[in-house]
């Protein structure tokens, strides 16, 4: 079993804050440990620019950041080395960049290739990875086909990533509920 960890929850549930606390514990455990945050957000409007700036300002200074909105598997392979924790924030925005891109051109075959590449990368990564993702299936689902496809894809992605993780945390009102992942 890997040392990977998936943190899921609703918006403003404390997912990123909890992931950063875990990363700080990793840093404190050994002077040779390093953390790289892999940020997937794209600043497509003013409100999103403010959110990104807030995340950047809140992030501990000892963590480096790599921005990659689409090719997550490549970045994880490039940065995965012993002693390096990778924190991916977040899978939801990564999927949004593929299935609901600002330019409006959805490339489902390329998405599926990248999704499989990500899952394969986790199997042999020398770095533990903490993933942050939203749990969106508990709310009202709008009637549009695109949104239903997105919700379904995120649910499948979260399940497949969770199966490659040692731990799964559900964030509720800022509180983590963590358990070991069992093979199904």
């Amino acid at each position: 079993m890997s040392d990977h960890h998936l943190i899921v929850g609703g918006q403003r549930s404390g997912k990123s804050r909890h992931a950063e606390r875990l990363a700080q514990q990793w840093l404190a455990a050994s002077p040779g440990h390093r953390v790289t945050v892999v940020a997937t957000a794209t600043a497509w409007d003013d409100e999103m620019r403010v959110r990104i700036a807030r995340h950047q300002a809140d992030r501990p200074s000892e963590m480096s950041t790599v921005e990659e909105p689409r090719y997550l598997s490549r970045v994880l392979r490039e940065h995965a080395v012993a002693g390096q924790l990778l924190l991916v924030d977040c899978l939801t925005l990564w999927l949004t960049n593929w299935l609901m891109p600002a330019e409006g051109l959805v490339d489902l075959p390329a998405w599926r290739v990248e999704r499989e590449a990500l899952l394969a990368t986790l199997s042999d990564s020398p770095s533990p990875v903490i993933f942050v993702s939203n749990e969106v299936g508990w709310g009202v689902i709008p009637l549009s086909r695109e949104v239903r496809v997105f919700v379904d894809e995120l649910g499948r992605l979260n399940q497949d990533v969770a199966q490659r993780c040692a731990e799964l945390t559900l964030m509720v009102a800022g509180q983590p509920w963590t358990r070991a992942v069992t093979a199904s």
Side-chain angles (χ1 to χ4, degrees), residues 36 65 71 85 122 153:
T36 297
T65 301
Y71 298 99
L85 173 76
L122 295 178
E153 284 296 320

Side-chain angles (χ1 to χ4, degrees), residues 9 14-15 28 30 37 48 65 94 103 107 110 134 144 150 155 166 170:
K15 299 178 303 291
S30 171
V37 176
M48 195 62 183
T65 301
W94 178 63
E103 65 275 7
D107 186 347
N134 287 66
S144 77
F150 178 86
L170 173 64

